[in-house]
Amino acid sequence: IKPELLAIEALMETNADSALVLLEQFHELVSVDNYNQAYANLLLTEAYIEQDKSLLSADSLLNISIELFDREEDYPYAARLWYCKGKVWEELREPQKAIESYYKSLGYLEKTPDRLLFLRIYNDLGNLYFDQDLPDESLNMFKAGYEYTEEWGIESRKFVALRNIGLAYTYLE
């Protein structure tokens, strides 16, 4: 991975808006191979998610990146890309396809755990099931997310998990 892309990824944690500007200009400024281009596409999509921007313009780039990282069996990036693909399907109001994408991401995460991504996926799956009036499945996903916050000691995410569990129980009654 090019050092410029790694620097942009590090910037995303604190200044996602600045990272997005750099990523949008990256294609014009730097010539890269397919692997680095796929990684840049991943970062661009993640920046769109962080900035709550539409993902539809990134969908075709995302598909190209997914194909490359799946073929290369590059599990950490494939997991992140399938998560992003799930977000695209959510935006397109295709919950079943979003769920399938999230489960593909979870499959890759079994090989390379990204704890925060695990939590995001279980939260998003719970929300998707909740929106489809499937409270038992929703509750199971929220509980799984909470169990990971406990197991991994991620205090900052417990509130969201517990709030979602409470919402699911309210809906069950």
Side-chain angles (χ1 to χ4, degrees):
I1 300 291
K2 283 208 166 272
E4 298 92 335
L5 288 171
L6 295 173
I8 291 172
E9 182 174 22
L11 181 65
M12 274 185 28
E13 293 181 22
T14 55
N15 297 334
D17 55 338
S18 299
L20 179 59
V21 170
L22 291 172
L23 286 163
E24 287 174 336
Q25 297 172 352
F26 182 79
H27 304 294
E28 300 166 12
L29 301 175
V30 181
S31 176
V32 294
D33 58 22
N34 288 343
Y35 191 86
N36 279 284
Q37 186 60 56
Y39 184 66
N41 295 343
L42 166 63
L43 294 179
L44 181 64
T45 307
E46 289 177 333
Y48 283 163
I49 291 169
E50 285 295 316
Q51 294 293 301
D52 202 28
K53 293 187 177 273
S54 174
L55 301 174
L56 300 182
S57 64
D59 189 33
S60 59
L61 296 175
L62 195 58
N63 291 336
I64 293 167
S65 298
I66 285 172
E67 184 179 317
L68 179 95
F69 286 123
D70 275 353
R71 185 176 61 243
E72 296 290 323
E73 295 183 357
D74 200 328
Y75 303 126
Y77 299 136
R80 289 165 58 186
L81 283 159
W82 278 107
Y83 173 75
C84 293
K85 186 65 178 181
K87 296 304 261 181
V88 169
W89 286 122
E90 279 192 62
E91 187 174 337
L92 290 169
R93 300 188 195 289
E94 294 279 354
Q96 255 341 98
K97 290 180 179 177
I99 289 168
E100 290 170 17
S101 293
Y102 291 146
Y103 276 109
K104 283 185 182 182
S105 182
L106 286 173
Y108 282 117
L109 285 174
E110 290 175 4
K111 297 171 179 82
T112 174
D114 176 334
R115 293 174 175 179
L116 291 178
L117 186 54
F118 258 113
L119 298 177
R120 284 188 195 126
I121 291 170
Y122 281 114
N123 183 60
D124 288 348
L125 283 168
N127 287 329
L128 282 166
Y129 287 132
F130 189 85
D131 291 344
Q132 293 181 76
D133 295 323
L134 298 168
D136 291 325
E137 289 86 345
S138 176
L139 181 61
N140 289 337
M141 293 299 114
F142 292 144
K143 282 182 174 180
Y146 177 73
E147 288 170 10
Y148 281 118
T149 66
E150 284 286 303
E151 180 181 332
W152 294 328
I154 303 175
E155 298 295 322
S156 63
R157 299 292 178 158
K158 281 185 182 180
F159 167 76
V160 173
L162 288 170
R163 183 202 63 203
N164 289 340
I165 289 170
L167 287 171
Y169 271 121
T170 302
Y171 190 73
L172 282 171
E173 292 179 1

